[in-house]
């Protein structure tokens, strides 16, 4: 990596990769595993990355991350013995059941409101990417990213008003 040292790539893009993985897997441990595997692949393909610009490296890492997430989902599906997975687990067992129920309901409502635009929202708010970068990664125009964000915000506002 002539222009980029591995450590610099990791520092610059690890947060984006983690949140992209978390957006797909919805699991902290799985997102961490995918992030680790993504950067292992970056080391393996260092010669390919050395001539890339920053936006190209970001897009490459993002695509590798999403592909790994999808591979893991397919693998999990094959290994799954039951048809039903719990929607969410209680994150803090010390919480009162009433609080857990309200928090789970709020999380479910927010997830449903922005589900169609989940990837775009996660990349912008959790990975800190600008609309232009998201557009390049997703292969769409910046206007499309802006409209997806506007629609996600409108759906969330509508859901919150109903509540």
């Amino acid at each position: 990596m002539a222009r980029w040292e591995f450590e610099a790539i990791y520092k610059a893009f690890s947060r984006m990769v983690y949140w992209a993985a978390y957006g797909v897997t919805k699991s902290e441990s799985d997102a961490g595993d995918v992030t680790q595997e993504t950067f292992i692949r970056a080391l393996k393909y260092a010669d390919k990355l050395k001539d890339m610009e920053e936006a190209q490296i970001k897009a490459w890492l993002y695509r590798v991350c999403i592909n790994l997430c999808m591979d893991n989902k397919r693998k999990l599906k094959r290994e799954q013995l039951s048809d039903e997975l719990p929607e969410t687990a209680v994150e803090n067992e010390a919480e009162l059941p009433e609080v857990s129920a309200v928090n789970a309901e709020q999380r479910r409502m927010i997830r449903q409101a922005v589900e169609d635009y989940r990837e775009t929202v996660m990349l912008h708010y959790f990975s800190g990417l600008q609309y232009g970068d998201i557009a390049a990664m997703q292969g769409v125009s910046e206007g499309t990213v802006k409209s997806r964000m506007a629609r996600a915000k409108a759906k969330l506002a509508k859901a919150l008003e109903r509540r």
Side-chain angles (χ1 to χ4, degrees):
M1 292 180 208
R3 220 182 95 168
W4 288 89
E5 293 294 325
F6 179 77
E7 188 173 325
I9 289 176
Y10 183 80
K11 283 182 180 177
F13 303 116
S14 61
R15 182 174 181 211
M16 182 258 326
V17 170
Y18 175 82
W19 284 109
Y22 185 80
V24 176
T25 64
K26 300 174 188 87
S27 162
E28 289 178 18
S29 64
D30 290 344
D33 292 345
V34 168
T35 301
Q36 182 177 6
E37 182 62 30
T38 300
F39 284 100
I40 289 171
R41 296 244 175 124
L43 277 173
K44 183 177 178 182
Y45 293 99
D47 57 325
K48 182 177 182 177
L49 297 176
K50 72 179 180 184
D51 298 325
M52 290 185 182
E53 298 293 324
E54 179 179 356
Q56 292 172 314
I57 292 172
K58 191 183 293 187
W60 186 88
L61 289 169
Y62 174 77
R63 183 51 39 212
V64 168
C65 172
I66 296 303
N67 288 342
L68 287 169
C69 289
M70 301 315 264
D71 290 347
N72 287 346
K73 274 190 161 189
R74 283 188 289 271
K75 183 179 176 184
L76 180 65
K77 233 180 199 177
R78 285 191 302 265
E79 293 174 354
Q80 194 70 33
L81 296 176
S82 70
D83 292 328
E84 250 179 78
L85 286 174
E87 188 170 318
T88 58
V90 177
E91 294 170 2
N92 183 355
E93 293 180 12
E95 285 185 348
L96 295 172
E98 299 83 17
V99 174
S100 294
V102 170
N103 289 339
E105 176 63 25
Q106 288 172 337
R107 285 191 303 268
R108 187 190 61 74
M109 180 196 60
I110 291 169
R111 262 197 317 277
Q112 283 180 337
V114 298
E115 186 62 36
D116 296 336
Y117 313 104
R118 176 183 205 75
E119 183 178 6
T120 304
V121 169
M122 295 293 286
L123 287 172
H124 181 67
Y125 288 110
F126 294 104
S127 297
L129 296 177
Q130 300 298 316
Y131 291 161
D133 295 333
I134 296 169
M137 288 179 180
Q138 294 180 336
V140 297
S141 71
E142 191 171 336
T144 300
V145 172
K146 289 178 181 178
S147 68
R148 288 176 181 171
M149 290 298 294
R151 288 183 192 134
K153 289 175 187 177
K155 284 181 81 175
L156 182 57
K158 193 174 191 176
L160 291 173
E161 282 176 7
R162 278 186 261 144
R163 185 163 168 79

